[in-house]
Structure formats: C-alpha cells, structure tokens
Amino acid sequence: MSKFRSAVLATLICCAMSGAFAQAVMQTSGALVIVPAVGEVRHLNDEAHATLMIEEQDKDKAAAASRVNQKMKQGIDLIKREDPQAILQTRGYYTYPVYADEQIPRPAGKARQPVGWRVGHYLELTTNNINGLPNTIASAQRILALNGLYFGLSENAAKKMEEQRIAAAYRNLTDRIAAIAKTMGRNLSDAVLDTVDFEVSGAYAPQQDMRAAKTMMSAAASAERVEEPSFEPGETTLSMRVVGKVRFK
C-alpha cells in the first residue's frame, strides 16, 4: 500500500470517528435536572432550660407532702430572687406508697400495707440569663435537686436563624446549578428554575431536629451552700434542605 493511500485511509477513519463522536454528544435542550442542596447556619445558644425537683419520704403522707410543698415554695422564691426574669412552671406532682420487702408470702387476697409514702414535685426553669445561671442553680440546689439541663435558642434567635438558613440553602442551590450547567457545557442563562422545594416537602425524609441539647444530672439537694456549677451553653446548628427542578432551554 502506497503512502498516499495510507494517508487517505487514515483521514477517512478520523472523519468517521469524528462523525460518530459528534452523533454521541447528548442534546440537553429541554432537559429537566433535579438539584438537591443544603444550607447550614450556627448560633450560640442563648436560652437555658433546667428541671429541678424535690422528693420526700415519710410514714405520714401528710408530713411528706408538707415538706415537699414548703421546700418547693422556698426554691421558687430563691430562683425568683436570683433571676427575676426567669420563667417558672411547676409540673409532675406525684404521691405513691412505699412497701417493705416481704420475705414471707402473704395470704391470698391480703393487700400489701404501705410502710411509707413518697411525694415529689418538679419545677421547669427557662431563662436567657446564661451568665447568671450558675449562681441561680447553685442557690436553688440548697433546697432543690437539679434533675436536667439543656441549652437552646430563644424565640428571637430562632427566627433570625430561620431567615439565614433559607438564604444559605438557596445560595447553595444556585451555586450547584451553576456548576451543573458548566459541566453540561451550557450557559447559566439557559437554565430556568422550574420548582423550588424548601424542606423537601415532597417525597423525601422529614427534617431532623437539629437543635443541640446538653443534659446534666445533679447530686442530692443540700441545705448547705452549694458551689456554683460550670456550664458551657455551646451552639445550635440548624440546616435546611432544598430541591430545585431546573429545565434547560
């Protein structure tokens, strides 16, 4: 085979391959692209939620209830004095009998006899005074026991973060659309945003609760002075998912 014929054959092969490649290029006109995105924002926790409680046990039910009522009132007064802006709510008042361990089987049909009564009461505290919280809790622990504690966002901070996380989610969506258009060899101006589904309210998994929480258990209440505990409120992270449907012209 002459060099001329070889060159011609090579040229024909290249042209055929180029034509096949050109036919293999996907057409994106009218394409509908589903684009998921997520926005995330953080904010320092500015609200504390504490659960305090008092429990008494006595052979006399009335005596146990009286001590619980008295100590709860004293605890509430202490908290109001230390943190006048705190929101307080009592809940979970309970009274139930205490039975001794019976080693000897009792006769059938004979009811157990209580040897005492246990009475308790819970108090919920909500405050934005994070700096004064250690002193408030230490004062309350002279009478009440700290049963639980977690930090979160106040209503005003949560509303502010709601606006920020929507903006962050939409910004991430537009950035991803731009990257997809570039990858497809299209101009961003060719993309038309057909649908935006915030919080993916369609057929997607529900949004998880992203509020961070910290819990601390207390020691038994004491009438003596209690050293101030150390608290680190931390921060809350909120995220929002969004799905956009983009159609290319």
Side-chain angles (χ1 to χ4, degrees):
M1 182 181 296
S2 66
K3 293 183 179 180
F4 176 77
R5 292 181 62 186
S6 299
V8 171
L9 182 59
T11 302
L12 292 175
I13 292 174
C14 291
C15 291
M17 292 179 63
S18 299
F21 178 77
Q23 292 178 358
V25 174
M26 291 184 296
Q27 296 297 319
T28 57
S29 298
L32 180 64
V33 181
I34 309 299
V35 184
V38 63
E40 186 176 276
V41 290
R42 294 181 175 86
H43 194 285
L44 293 177
N45 290 324
D46 63 343
E47 188 169 271
H49 302 265
T51 300
L52 299 110
M53 57 91 65
I54 183 66
E55 183 178 88
E56 291 287 337
Q57 183 173 327
D58 200 286
K59 292 181 179 180
D60 185 348
K61 180 169 60 175
S66 293
R67 290 202 300 272
V68 166
N69 297 345
Q70 181 183 29
K71 290 183 178 181
M72 179 58 73
K73 183 179 184 306
Q74 292 173 347
I76 290 175
D77 290 340
L78 275 173
I79 294 172
K80 287 183 176 180
R81 184 164 61 247
E82 298 295 340
D83 188 356
Q85 303 302 318
I87 300 174
L88 303 178
Q89 179 180 356
T90 54
R91 67 168 180 85
Y93 199 110
Y94 61 88
T95 304
Y96 61 87
V98 177
Y99 299 98
D101 294 331
E102 296 179 343
Q103 302 297 330
I104 302 176
R106 65 180 185 276
K110 182 180 178 180
R112 290 192 303 168
Q113 297 298 318
V115 297
W117 294 87
R118 187 168 292 156
V119 182
H121 201 185
Y122 288 89
L123 174 67
E124 300 288 350
L125 179 153
T126 302
T127 181
N128 299 117
N129 185 9
I130 302 297
N131 292 332
L133 183 64
N135 181 62
T136 300
I137 295 298
S139 297
Q141 283 181 305
R142 295 171 55 190
I143 300 173
L144 307 176
L146 180 61
N147 183 259
L149 173 68
Y150 73 93
F151 297 92
L153 296 176
S154 64
E155 184 177 355
N156 290 336
K159 288 181 178 179
K160 181 179 179 181
M161 284 192 69
E162 179 70 9
E163 297 178 0
Q164 292 177 354
R165 71 175 184 146
I166 290 174
Y170 190 77
R171 184 166 54 250
N172 183 248
L173 176 64
T174 55
D175 289 345
R176 300 195 74 180
I177 292 173
I180 291 172
K182 182 178 180 180
T183 302
M184 295 174 65
R186 301 297 301 271
N187 294 323
L188 183 59
S189 58
D190 294 333
V192 178
L193 193 56
D194 181 80
T195 304
V196 180
D197 185 4
F198 284 98
E199 292 285 29
V200 286
S201 57
Y204 292 87
Q207 179 76 9
Q208 295 181 352
D209 184 6
M210 301 301 292
R211 288 179 177 249
K214 295 184 179 180
T215 302
M216 297 184 180
M217 303 304 294
S218 70
S222 172
E224 299 178 357
R225 181 180 181 276
V226 178
E227 293 296 328
E228 292 186 5
S230 299
F231 298 135
E232 293 295 335
E235 64 180 16
T236 288
T237 300
L238 291 181
S239 65
M240 170 173 281
R241 291 177 295 170
V242 60
V243 171
K245 292 183 180 181
V246 181
R247 190 178 301 277
F248 285 93
K249 299 177 182 179

